[in-house]
Amino acid sequence: MTFKTVLILEELLKTASKSTDIKCIDLVCWLSSCSWLALPPLSWSRSLACAWVLLCLQYEEPKCAEAISEGHCQWFFTFEQYKKLLGYVSLSPALTFAIAGLGSGLTEAIVVNPFEVVKVGLQANRNTFTEQPSTIGYARQIIKKEGLGLQGLNKGFTATLGRHGVFNMVYFGFYFNVKNIIPVNKDPTLEFLRKFGIGLLSGTIASVINIPFDVAKSRIQGPQPVPGEIKYRTCFKTMATVYQEEGILALYKGLLPKIMRLGPGGAVMLLVYEYTYSWLQENW
C-alpha cells in the first residue's frame, strides 16, 4: 500500500468517525474487511467513489474488478440488516441466522456478479498485460456485444446467487448457532481458540457445500470449450452436464485451495468483526 493510500484511508476514517449517519456496525464492517479493500458502507454513493479511488491507487486497473468482487464487507453489513428485519418475524434464532445469511449472500451476488464476469474474462485473456483491455474497456465490450442480460454482463447470475447465497447461509448460520451452543470460556486464549475453531469449521463446511455452484459459475462465465458455441448456459444444467461427462468429483474441482482460503480467512474475518464490534460498543 502506498503512502498516499494510507493518507486517504486516514482521512476517510476521520470523516467516518465525525459523520452522524455512520453506525457502529458500518465501521466494524469496514475495519473487518479493509485488508480485502472492500467497499466501505459509509453511504452507497460516497463509498463507491472511495472504493474506486483506493482500488486504482492500490491495483493496476484490470484488477479493480477482482478486488471489488471480493468485497466481503457486504457480508457483515447486509447480514446485520437482514437480522434486524427478521426480528419483526417470529422465527427461532437458529433460523434467523441462516435466513439472514442467505439474504446477505443473495444481495452480495446481485452486486458483484457483473464484476465477476469482467474479472473471469480478464483472467482468461491470454494476451500480454499491455495488450489486455482495461476493466472499463472490457466491460464496454461485453455490453456492446452481449448486452446487460444473462448472456452479457450478468452471465452466470443464477450460479452466482447459488454460490454466495448457500455459502453465507451456512457460514453465518453454522457459526452463530454453534457458538451459542458451546459454552463461553473464561480464559481469553481458550475463548479466542473456541471462536477461531468454529469460524474455521464454518468457512470449511460452507466451501464444501457451495463449490458445485462455484464450478458451474466458472464454466458459464469462462471461455467455452468450442469458440463461438455456448455449451454451459444455466446453473443446474451446467452441473448436470459436468456430472454426466466428468463425474461427481468434477463438481468439487478446486475444493482444497478454496478451503485453504476461506477456512482460515473466514475465521479471521469473523473474529476481527466480533472483537472490533465489541470494542466499539464499549468505547463509543
Side-chain angles (χ1 to χ4, degrees):
M1 183 177 289
T2 64
F3 178 71
K4 191 174 182 181
T5 307
V6 173
L7 292 178
I8 292 174
L9 275 171
E10 289 178 353
E11 188 60 32
L12 289 175
L13 282 169
K14 288 178 184 177
T15 303
S17 63
K18 293 177 183 177
S19 177
T20 55
D21 64 340
I22 304 300
K23 296 182 180 178
C24 179
I25 182 64
D26 298 329
L27 288 177
V28 174
C29 290
W30 189 1
L31 290 169
S32 64
S33 305
C34 64
S35 61
W36 303 78
L37 288 180
L39 195 64
L42 306 182
S43 68
W44 289 113
S45 58
R46 204 164 23 141
S47 60
L48 184 59
C50 293
W52 274 111
V53 171
L54 293 172
L55 289 167
C56 290
L57 284 169
Q58 177 70 10
Y59 287 115
E60 305 96 308
E61 190 179 0
K63 292 185 179 178
C64 289
E66 179 178 359
I68 289 182
S69 71
E70 296 295 340
H72 298 292
C73 175
Q74 300 164 59
W75 289 9
F76 300 99
F77 178 69
T78 53
F79 173 74
E80 289 293 336
Q81 305 314 307
Y82 281 114
K83 199 168 69 170
K84 289 177 184 176
L85 288 174
L86 291 170
Y88 297 102
V89 184
S90 105
L91 293 172
S92 67
L95 200 55
T96 298
F97 290 131
I99 295 176
L102 175 63
S104 74
L106 296 178
T107 303
E108 181 190 12
I110 294 170
V111 174
V112 306
N113 190 66
F115 296 104
E116 285 284 339
V117 172
V118 174
K119 180 192 78 172
V120 171
L122 288 172
Q123 289 178 335
N125 192 317
R126 297 188 178 184
N127 293 334
T128 62
F129 182 79
T130 54
E131 294 176 340
Q132 284 187 357
S134 66
T135 301
I136 296 175
Y138 186 66
R140 285 176 178 168
Q141 287 180 21
I142 296 173
I143 294 170
K144 186 176 180 180
K145 186 178 179 181
E146 306 290 347
L148 296 168
L150 298 180
Q151 296 303 318
L153 201 60
N154 274 294
K155 187 191 300 182
F157 181 62
T158 52
T160 304
L161 285 175
R163 185 180 82 153
H164 290 271
V166 171
F167 183 92
N168 284 22
M169 180 179 67
V170 177
Y171 180 68
F172 286 111
F174 183 90
Y175 179 79
F176 287 104
N177 282 305
V178 173
K179 193 187 75 166
N180 291 338
I181 294 171
I182 300 176
V184 176
N185 201 299
K186 293 182 180 179
D187 184 282
T189 303
L190 293 177
E191 176 61 13
F192 175 86
L193 292 174
R194 178 183 79 97
K195 290 181 178 179
F196 183 84
I198 299 171
L200 180 66
L201 278 174
S202 300
T204 300
I205 294 171
S207 297
V208 172
I209 294 175
N210 93 318
I211 197 168
F213 292 97
D214 205 351
V215 171
K217 171 191 162 300
S218 298
R219 296 293 180 99
I220 295 169
Q221 293 179 344
Q224 300 294 308
V226 180
E229 181 182 325
I230 300 177
K231 179 178 181 179
Y232 304 112
R233 290 181 179 272
T234 61
C235 178
F236 292 104
K237 189 174 179 181
T238 297
M239 287 186 189
T241 302
V242 172
Y243 170 72
Q244 291 168 3
E245 294 182 356
E246 303 173 43
I248 187 68
L249 293 179
L251 291 171
Y252 292 87
K253 285 183 176 179
L255 178 60
L256 182 58
K258 185 180 178 75
I259 289 174
M260 291 174 68
R261 172 176 166 255
L262 289 173
V268 169
M269 282 192 294
L270 282 167
L271 284 171
V272 173
Y273 167 78
E274 287 217 344
Y275 282 106
T276 308
Y277 187 52
S278 176
W279 183 86
L280 288 173
Q281 281 186 317
E282 292 175 3
N283 294 275
W284 279 47

